Amino acid sequence: MRKFISLQMIPCLIVSLVMSQCNYGLHSQEPSKVDEPLAVPVQPLLSHVHRLCEAMEIVGRPLAEEALQQIAKIKKADDPARVLTEVQDLFDPFCVAVVDVAPTGAPKVSRGPASTKLLEQGWRTFLVKVINRHGRTGRLFVESPNAQPLPNAPASEVDKRWMQISSYDGQPLRPNLSGLAIEYRIVQIFSRDAGPKEAVLEFTVSGDANGDDALIREWRFDKDEDGWNAMNQIKVDAKDGSLQIESTGDDPFMGAEVVSRGGGFVLRFWAKTDVVGIGQLFWWTKDIPYATGNRQTNFILEPNKEHLYEVPFHVEGELAGVRLDPLVKPGKMRIDWIDLHSQQRNENWARLETTFQCEASTQVTFRVFDEQGLPAFAKFEVRDSEGRIYPAQSKRLAPDFFFQRHIYRGDGEELSLPPGQYTITCSRGPETLPEVQSLTVGSEPKELLYRVRRWIDPSKAGWWSGDHHIHGAGCLHYNNPTEGVSPEDMMRHIMGEDLKVGCSLTWGPCFDFQKQFFTGDVAPESQYPYLLRYDIEVSGFGSHMSGHLNLLNLKNQIYPGGDSKDHWPTLGLSTLKWAKRQGAVCGPAHSSIGLTSFVGRLPDTEGKDGENLLPNFQIPAYDGIGANEFIVDVTHRVPGADGKLVPAVDFISTMNSDRVAEWNMWYHVLNAGLRVAASGETDFPCMSGERVGIGRVYAHVDGRLTFDKWVQSIADGRSYVSDGFTHLIGYRASAADGKQVVDVGVNGSELKLEQPKRVRFSTKVAALYGSPESDSPLKQKVELIVNGYPVQSVNVKCDGSTKDVTFETPLVKSSWVAIRAFPNAHTNPIYVVIDEEPILGSLDSVRWCLAGVEQCWKAKEPLYAKSELNEARAAYRHARLFYQRLLDEHAR
Amino acid sequence: MDFSLRLKACCCLVIAIIGVVQFCMPASDRLSDQGCPDANPVAFVERTLLRPSTKLKRAELRQVLGVIGKLLVANNQADLEVLEFLGRQVAEVKTRKELQALLMPYVLLQVEINPESRVKIGPSESEVLRHKVDLEKGVAKRFLLQVDNHAGVTSTLNISAVDLSLEPPQTADWITAVVVNEAGISSKMSGQRLEYLVVELVAKQSGLKEVRLVGDAGQGTQDLGFRATADLLIDVK
């Protein structure tokens, strides 16, 4: 029994209320009259309410704004009784059932007041109200015989099995009941059909004091094989707490005796195998005591990973034994445990009979045209009048991603919606003007027309957008039912965001599945001008601990010596050497990670930090996976595709991590005279799952866009990085007399002067945050950066118009010069070389870099493989010498 | 026995166990004269979890005793007898699997850092702590954080406490949650695949409450979609 703390003891408010709201009983069991007061501590109740709101948002059933405002008021209420009443008033109307949990045995269940409308071929979200006086903390299971699987169902059952039901127990909800006297759980119901449908919902709470009764037999292998016997072409051995199985032929099997009355069962086991294919489960009964071909079921093997296998089967007669054919070919499997559960309902389950009205859905066809009137893809967020998201967010499979609210649809594609009123937000990436449409759906098919309106199109001037770091697997992507998503899915998202180039990088998760999409060229799914290419991010393997590496434009994706990811070197420079030898374009990923905590400050730099802390002289801890070993690698030159020495690193990734840290690193190495470009990335869906192209690079390409030309422009710095809402197009420099003109990224971005001169720097600037019709548009500060510090600036209205911005400044020594719109965009630098003197922006920066090499070695040395330590020492020694030589030369 | 005497007794017991274990070890494996175990028992835990049923090495045993010692030293109001018993059990385990099972009841949060440095945390699988955590008002209590570090980051692991019942949710003022950083145990990760850190909770108000613990390994490393948060019920006596 839950213990509650008295009011005298705690400030936490305890609520007493006589429950009268339980009497929804329309069907089945009526909840018993409840006279005793129900006590709910307010603080955890309100925390639960907050998490419930978050969860409803996640599943695509957000509360209306008025309801959220009401919750905000409830949170501030002083009267605990009012809190409980208002919480129930707010959430009870969403409840399809009210479950009154008993101390033991079946709960009492009644119908809740929610509308029973379902959606043909779609999901609806409901709440279940749980009254839990006894503080039970088991799991609430909600199932239905109408949700039994259709494959292998008797013909008479097909009509009855019309629904699917699932509980949402994921974050931020907890799988188990909290033990609070009142809480709400989320269930979602899918209807196959239209029209009125009868259903039985079944409820139980696990962890019953008298046992759950569903478990028939559990097999554990700590001591021996626990009753499993080798029967044919198989060796079975209990070892290290597991059952080690080795099949020696094509028909291996083993069996165990187990007795139970017949009915539905599920055999669950946790296993790992390296074999691809299927397994089989047979069973025998008392009357037919041997396996037969008509009493078997198959399951698909999940190779190379630990997996929970759940194999349902139905036994006619009395079960006497099970036979497992774990593999159908020679191979090995390790089974950690096996459980046999009955699917029979025992007395701990309660039934609720109810009728749902399933609304017929109507096809809505998207007609999508770009600004030229050509068929296109775009992004759509579809909500009904209650704010519900379509298609149901938590039930999505690719090409729709469950972690996004929106979907991407191309011209002519469809979506099923029930009749009603909808609000549809349409857009196509940051270069377009989003618009909101209202759509009324009736019983007849409907069209939604969206014509894209742009506010800017840099590609017309040859500046092609791209995101060099997106993923088709890992992070928010699922591993099942497929290992990540396909190139077709990634293309849809790229086109829907009007991202001209997408680099889908295969990395640790699902590496061996996703690697099949690498072609050494753009993916065949590309649709000009939208280009998709598969390459590699060294992440989750190899040298990842010293900083992740984006390897673009590879010819071979696997490091020599293996065919997967487990043999790669731990020294990033070794990977870079291999990649550069094949002509790849390389740079560190999510650069700021490892650069945002500090071990100290470079001596004698007080007062030298620039505006926005750019640059700053805090020495990072180099304790992460961003541009860490970069501080070493950037000093190296390695053989390129033609054998000539080229920089080991072409670019530093920006625009998706801490802006100050990533740009600070960039500024310092530029100040040390190193020439490295900035590129823009998202690392979708790891740093963000919102969309591809949050961080972008716009690279200039002459003539028709090709990936080779685009990625070469990344390496050449013929580009600017941007969030897509601020643009710095056509950056160029010229001597003030106008005799020499250099465009960024062309001819090494180098403007050569014989003597100090005034130099003119110009670019076209455009930015839009909000509506272009706004009477008070935001302003963006645009700065001229010389050797890391701003020397001039102008403010530009963010109204979507394009302005020419020109700065003119005297330069007395060789310098790198760029244009910055902090924190939204940055050009790559133009290198102004005066009298052939090398650029040395700041000696403090060189000292900062040297300190960084030392700190990076401290942090990373333990992470390099012992066999590579000598090579690592040499790489770091080279970097130290590089920076030290600059200091020495200047001292001389 | 008053509290300070019991605390001393327990400390002595752990030290004695370490001494016995050391006595059985080669001299090169023994603890240094400082008597302080390694700052992070990482290597031990990594091997423990990756090959759970292999035999336990003496040096590994020494390290985990160090972790238990850290739980014990500041665990002023904990059930000292239980920890005492745990110390004896740990000294007797033969396999890493057994050892993990022994430690699980002390694991408050399981932390996973994916290869992209995203921090995900979840409640313990411990039956003892999964549903509710018992604290005494004003008394610090320490628990283990089991860290599965796929990224190899060596940054500090931070845990912060948020009260969702407030509007808007804000830092909980009734509880502090700190990853312990003191001699013998660091809040910085080692970069090894798996390790244990120690987190300390102190509640300032009594009652049944809920707290959201948020984990990060540096700026902006919380995983997306509520995966860097764990919501715990705390019963403060």
Side-chain angles (χ1 to χ4, degrees):
Chain A
M1 194 74 174
R2 172 168 294 287
K3 294 174 184 173
F4 286 95
I5 296 145
S6 72
L7 283 168
Q8 289 80 9
M9 290 173 62
I10 55 169
C12 170
L13 299 168
I14 304 296
V15 180
S16 295
L17 209 73
V18 175
M19 295 299 298
S20 59
Q21 68 285 352
C22 302
N23 300 324
Y24 298 135
L26 304 176
H27 300 265
S28 184
Q29 302 178 37
E30 293 282 332
S32 62
K33 287 281 183 186
V34 180
D35 295 327
E36 68 265 38
L38 194 68
V40 187
V42 168
Q43 194 274 350
L45 175 67
L46 289 176
S47 297
H48 167 70
V49 164
H50 187 92
R51 288 189 289 111
L52 186 66
C53 294
E54 291 175 334
M56 291 177 78
E57 183 94 13
I58 286 174
V59 300
R61 182 42 175 118
L63 289 177
E65 187 55 37
E66 303 81 55
L68 294 174
Q69 287 173 4
Q70 178 66 16
I71 289 169
K73 279 185 193 167
I74 295 171
K75 281 184 168 185
K76 291 174 179 170
D78 293 328
D79 178 5
R82 190 181 138 210
V83 169
L84 183 57
T85 303
E86 292 192 2
V87 164
Q88 293 175 104
D89 288 347
L90 200 60
F91 288 102
D92 283 0
F94 295 96
C95 292
V96 70
V98 180
V99 177
D100 193 347
V101 181
T104 184
K108 293 172 182 170
V109 182
S110 58
R111 267 277 290 116
S115 156
T116 52
K117 283 185 180 175
L118 293 180
L119 169 60
E120 180 194 12
Q121 292 293 312
W123 290 85
R124 283 284 189 232
T125 298
F126 299 93
L127 297 183
V128 172
K129 181 176 184 176
V130 181
I131 301 167
N132 188 7
R133 290 179 188 78
H134 309 284
R136 287 183 58 182
T137 55
R139 287 186 74 163
L140 174 70
F141 288 102
V142 186
E143 297 181 1
S144 171
N146 305 95
Q148 292 284 310
L150 282 171
N152 298 315
S156 60
E157 284 283 304
V158 169
D159 189 51
K160 293 178 188 168
R161 299 186 181 188
W162 59 270
M163 72 184 294
Q164 293 178 54
I165 186 165
S166 79
S167 300
Y168 181 82
D169 294 333
Q171 283 272 55
L173 298 184
R174 287 189 286 253
N176 287 50
L177 296 177
S178 65
L180 290 179
I182 281 188
E183 68 180 285
Y184 295 87
R185 309 296 300 186
I186 293 176
V187 294
Q188 294 173 285
I189 301 176
F190 173 92
S191 173
R192 179 192 60 195
D193 306 327
K197 303 296 288 186
E198 300 288 333
V200 174
L201 304 183
E202 298 174 319
F203 300 82
T204 193
V205 176
S206 68
D208 193 276
N210 295 326
D212 290 336
D213 243 16
L215 182 65
I216 302 299
R217 172 76 157 92
E218 57 181 17
W219 288 273
R220 299 294 182 265
F221 309 109
D222 293 320
K223 296 175 183 172
D224 54 27
E225 290 77 24
D226 201 11
W228 284 92
N229 298 304
M231 297 173 76
N232 188 53
Q233 296 182 340
I234 197 166
K235 292 178 186 171
V236 179
D237 185 23
K239 191 178 173 187
D240 293 339
S242 302
L243 200 60
Q244 309 287 341
I245 298 164
E246 181 173 358
S247 74
T248 55
D250 293 334
D251 190 21
F253 53 88
M254 60 183 193
E257 293 183 349
V258 58
V259 177
S260 175
R261 63 191 169 100
F265 295 89
V266 58
L267 189 81
R268 296 188 172 96
F269 60 100
W270 183 263
K272 184 177 181 184
T273 181
D274 54 2
V275 173
V276 177
I278 61 165
Q280 293 178 307
L281 175 72
F282 291 76
W283 57 92
W284 64 88
T285 53
K286 263 196 172 176
D287 53 335
I288 309 174
Y290 48 85
T292 56
N294 62 344
R295 297 187 298 181
Q296 65 95 12
T297 186
N298 297 338
F299 55 91
I300 298 170
L301 297 174
E302 299 286 343
N304 302 314
K305 62 181 181 184
E306 298 194 341
H307 184 71
L308 173 62
Y309 292 87
E310 296 187 281
V311 189
F313 62 105
H314 192 274
V315 176
E316 301 291 339
E318 190 172 351
L319 178 68
V322 290
R323 190 185 107 180
L324 197 56
D325 299 21
L327 315 167
V328 288
K329 60 178 79 166
K332 292 181 179 176
M333 176 180 268
R334 189 199 78 218
I335 300 180
D336 288 351
W337 53 261
I338 304 174
D339 286 349
L340 179 65
H341 290 262
S342 168
Q343 292 187 317
Q344 301 295 306
R345 294 287 180 252
N346 63 18
E347 62 274 16
N348 290 346
W349 286 81
R351 287 163 58 89
L352 175 65
E353 293 175 8
T354 190
T355 302
F356 290 98
Q357 293 295 329
C358 306
E359 296 177 285
S361 61
T362 303
Q363 290 299 104
V364 174
T365 302
F366 291 85
R367 303 308 315 269
V368 189
F369 301 99
D370 68 12
E371 70 282 3
Q372 297 169 346
L374 299 173
F377 276 79
K379 176 166 76 177
F380 302 95
E381 184 180 303
V382 182
R383 289 174 182 265
D384 67 12
S385 54
E386 294 185 50
R388 292 180 290 207
I389 301 279
Y390 294 82
Q393 201 174 326
S394 61
K395 296 297 180 185
R396 294 179 182 179
L397 292 176
D400 301 331
F401 292 171
F402 69 91
F403 49 84
Q404 297 175 328
R405 287 182 176 174
H406 55 264
I407 56 173
Y408 295 94
R409 288 291 182 271
D411 182 50
E413 294 188 334
E414 296 174 335
L415 179 67
S416 294
L417 293 174
Q421 195 70 32
Y422 293 87
T423 301
I424 301 180
T425 306
C426 319
S427 62
R428 194 176 186 234
E431 297 166 22
T432 62
L433 297 168
E435 67 180 52
V436 179
Q437 296 194 19
S438 293
L439 181 74
T440 303
V441 175
S443 56
E444 296 298 315
K446 190 93 176 175
E447 283 192 352
L448 175 89
L449 175 63
Y450 173 48
R451 292 186 188 279
V452 174
R453 285 194 306 141
R454 283 182 174 278
W455 65 273
I456 193 166
D457 187 356
S459 69
K460 283 187 173 171
W463 297 83
W464 299 88
S465 61
D467 184 341
H468 72 242
H469 188 170
I470 60 178
H471 296 297
C475 289
L476 292 182
H477 285 302
Y478 45 66
N479 292 346
N480 276 310
T482 55
E483 294 191 54
V485 302
S486 70
E488 291 86 353
D489 303 324
M490 297 304 288
M491 270 310 295
R492 173 182 297 264
H493 286 243
I494 288 167
M495 292 190 292
E497 290 294 338
D498 189 30
L499 189 65
K500 298 303 193 299
V501 182
C503 301
S504 185
L505 305 183
T506 299
W507 65 300
C510 311
F511 184 97
D512 289 323
F513 179 81
Q514 290 280 323
K515 72 182 182 185
Q516 67 176 302
F517 302 128
F518 175 83
T519 61
D521 203 340
V522 293
E525 292 80 7
S526 300
Q527 298 178 36
Y528 190 85
Y530 300 98
L531 306 180
L532 171 67
R533 196 186 203 275
Y534 278 77
D535 271 307
I536 294 291
E537 180 194 8
V538 181
S539 170
F541 63 93
S543 58
H544 67 129
M545 293 186 195
S546 58
H548 293 186
L549 294 170
N550 297 318
L551 310 177
L552 312 178
N553 212 27
L554 289 167
K555 291 184 173 59
N556 301 299
Q557 66 173 333
I558 309 285
Y559 194 83
D563 61 0
S564 185
K565 59 185 170 60
D566 296 328
H567 63 286
W568 290 51
T570 60
L571 178 65
L573 184 62
S574 301
T575 304
L576 289 168
K577 285 177 180 172
W578 161 75
K580 292 302 297 180
R581 194 72 179 87
Q582 52 178 300
V585 173
C586 308
H590 34 65
S591 300
S592 81
I593 300 179
L595 305 180
T596 54
S597 64
F598 306 102
V599 295
R601 184 182 179 86
L602 194 71
D604 305 322
T605 56
E606 292 300 332
K608 293 184 178 178
D609 290 351
E611 192 177 336
N612 298 314
L613 292 177
L614 281 170
N616 72 72
F617 295 90
Q618 299 280 354
I619 300 170
Y622 291 85
D623 55 7
I625 52 162
N628 287 201
E629 194 191 290
F630 168 82
I631 197 71
V632 172
D633 298 336
V634 73
T635 67
H636 285 261
R637 293 176 69 81
V638 299
D642 58 3
K644 293 179 182 170
L645 291 180
V646 296
V649 181
D650 299 288
F651 63 86
I652 181 170
S653 295
T654 63
M655 303 307 296
N656 66 334
S657 61
D658 181 85
R659 201 57 37 80
V660 170
E662 62 189 22
W663 288 1
N664 190 52
M665 171 62 81
W666 185 39
Y667 284 10
H668 283 306
V669 297
L670 289 172
N671 274 347
L674 293 160
R675 298 190 180 185
V676 61
S679 186
E681 65 171 22
T682 299
D683 190 4
F684 170 92
C686 294
M687 300 295 280
S688 172
E690 184 187 331
R691 57 185 168 85
V692 298
I694 287 182
R696 292 173 170 229
V697 57
Y698 286 79
H700 192 271
V701 167
D702 294 322
R704 184 180 168 86
L705 173 68
T706 68
F707 184 84
D708 284 350
K709 288 195 282 187
W710 182 85
V711 81
Q712 188 56 49
S713 289
I714 301 296
D716 292 342
R718 197 180 183 187
S719 59
Y720 62 92
V721 295
S722 166
D723 60 1
F725 297 98
T726 295
H727 296 268
L728 303 168
I729 299 171
Y731 174 47
R732 56 170 39 184
S734 61
D737 57 17
K739 286 183 179 173
Q740 295 163 276
V741 178
V742 169
D743 288 306
V744 70
V746 178
N747 295 327
S749 294
E750 194 170 274
L751 177 66
K752 291 182 178 172
L753 302 176
E754 291 178 356
Q755 58 191 13
K757 274 187 179 175
R758 294 185 71 80
V759 183
R760 191 174 299 146
F761 300 92
S762 64
T763 190
K764 292 182 185 302
V765 180
L768 181 64
Y769 296 91
S771 166
E773 282 86 36
S774 169
D775 293 333
S776 53
L778 297 172
K779 288 184 179 174
Q780 172 71 59
K781 188 175 184 181
V782 178
E783 301 165 291
L784 183 71
I785 306 296
V786 178
N787 294 333
Y789 292 89
V791 296
Q792 292 182 32
S793 68
V794 295
N795 285 321
V796 172
K797 281 185 184 173
C798 302
D799 58 4
S801 63
T802 302
K803 294 107 181 160
D804 289 310
V805 170
T806 300
F807 299 104
E808 190 174 310
T809 189
L811 290 177
V812 296
K813 68 168 192 172
S814 297
S815 304
W816 64 268
V817 185
I819 292 180
R820 174 173 85 187
F822 182 86
N824 304 318
H826 210 304
T827 71
N828 268 299
I830 287 176
Y831 305 101
V832 181
V833 177
I834 300 175
D835 194 23
E836 298 186 349
E837 282 294 315
I839 294 171
L840 186 60
S842 159
L843 278 178
D844 289 327
S845 286
V846 180
R847 292 167 56 223
W848 185 89
C849 292
L850 185 57
V853 174
E854 298 304 335
Q855 176 57 31
C856 191
W857 178 249
K858 274 186 199 169
K860 305 299 182 191
E861 184 200 4
L863 307 178
Y864 292 122
K866 281 185 180 171
S867 60
E868 298 175 55
L869 270 178
N870 283 339
E871 206 176 343
R873 286 193 190 97
Y876 279 72
R877 190 182 311 121
H878 173 275
R880 280 188 204 97
L881 289 173
F882 175 88
Y883 295 120
Q884 188 61 53
R885 191 164 52 239
L886 289 176
L887 296 174
D888 294 344
E889 284 172 0
H890 186 266
R892 278 199 298 273
Chain B
M1 189 184 292
D2 78 13
F3 172 71
S4 61
L5 284 175
R6 294 186 69 200
L7 179 61
K8 283 178 188 170
C10 279
C11 291
C12 289
L13 176 72
V14 169
I15 291 166
I17 293 169
I18 294 172
V20 169
V21 173
Q22 284 201 88
F23 182 74
C24 305
M25 289 177 186
S28 57
D29 273 359
R30 290 180 193 164
L31 289 173
S32 68
D33 289 337
Q34 292 133 355
C36 177
D38 294 348
N40 277 316
V42 282
F44 152 66
V45 178
E46 176 186 21
R47 289 189 292 274
T48 299
L49 296 183
L50 293 180
R51 293 177 304 194
S53 295
T54 50
K55 285 186 180 174
L56 196 61
K57 292 179 180 173
R58 286 173 180 152
E60 295 169 346
L61 187 57
R62 177 187 60 178
Q63 287 173 311
V64 83
L65 284 169
V67 174
I68 295 170
K70 277 293 152 192
L71 281 175
L72 188 62
V73 168
N75 210 350
N76 297 337
Q77 295 290 351
D79 187 342
L80 298 178
E81 288 179 10
V82 172
L83 286 177
E84 206 176 280
F85 184 62
L86 176 68
R88 287 200 196 97
Q89 285 182 305
V90 166
E92 291 173 4
V93 295
K94 299 285 190 299
T95 69
R96 295 176 180 133
K97 191 173 184 178
E98 291 171 4
L99 192 61
Q100 277 182 78
L102 280 175
L103 291 179
M104 185 50 78
Y106 301 89
V107 174
L108 181 71
L109 300 173
Q110 292 178 294
V111 182
E112 183 184 338
I113 301 174
N114 86 355
E116 293 282 79
S117 214
R118 307 287 90 200
V119 177
K120 172 183 172 183
I121 68 173
S124 167
E125 290 173 10
S126 158
E127 283 297 323
V128 181
L129 299 172
R130 187 166 58 188
H131 302 306
K132 186 159 61 77
V133 179
D134 292 318
L135 295 180
E136 284 187 63
K137 183 181 170 185
V139 177
K141 190 166 182 179
R142 290 185 172 189
F143 305 89
L144 295 177
L145 297 172
Q146 181 182 297
V147 183
D148 191 2
N149 185 354
H150 295 266
V153 293
T154 55
S155 52
T156 299
L157 182 69
N158 303 302
I159 299 288
S160 53
V162 177
D163 188 340
L164 298 181
S165 73
L166 303 174
E167 182 60 31
Q170 49 201 270
T171 302
D173 60 359
W174 56 271
I175 190 169
T176 57
V178 178
V179 181
V180 176
N181 186 27
E182 61 185 34
I185 187 82
S186 173
S187 59
K188 285 176 78 74
M189 292 171 284
S190 65
Q192 298 292 330
R193 173 66 182 273
L194 280 145
E195 64 183 299
Y196 285 120
L197 302 180
V198 175
V199 64
E200 182 175 285
L201 302 182
V202 185
K204 299 167 191 165
Q205 297 173 8
S206 56
L208 183 66
K209 290 171 173 289
E210 181 176 306
V211 66
R212 169 165 289 179
L213 298 181
V214 184
D216 74 82
Q219 192 170 18
T221 57
Q222 290 100 334
D223 202 1
L224 309 172
F226 299 102
R227 299 200 297 191
T229 65
D231 301 296
L232 302 180
L233 271 178
I234 310 277
D235 198 354
V236 188
K237 299 283 191 284

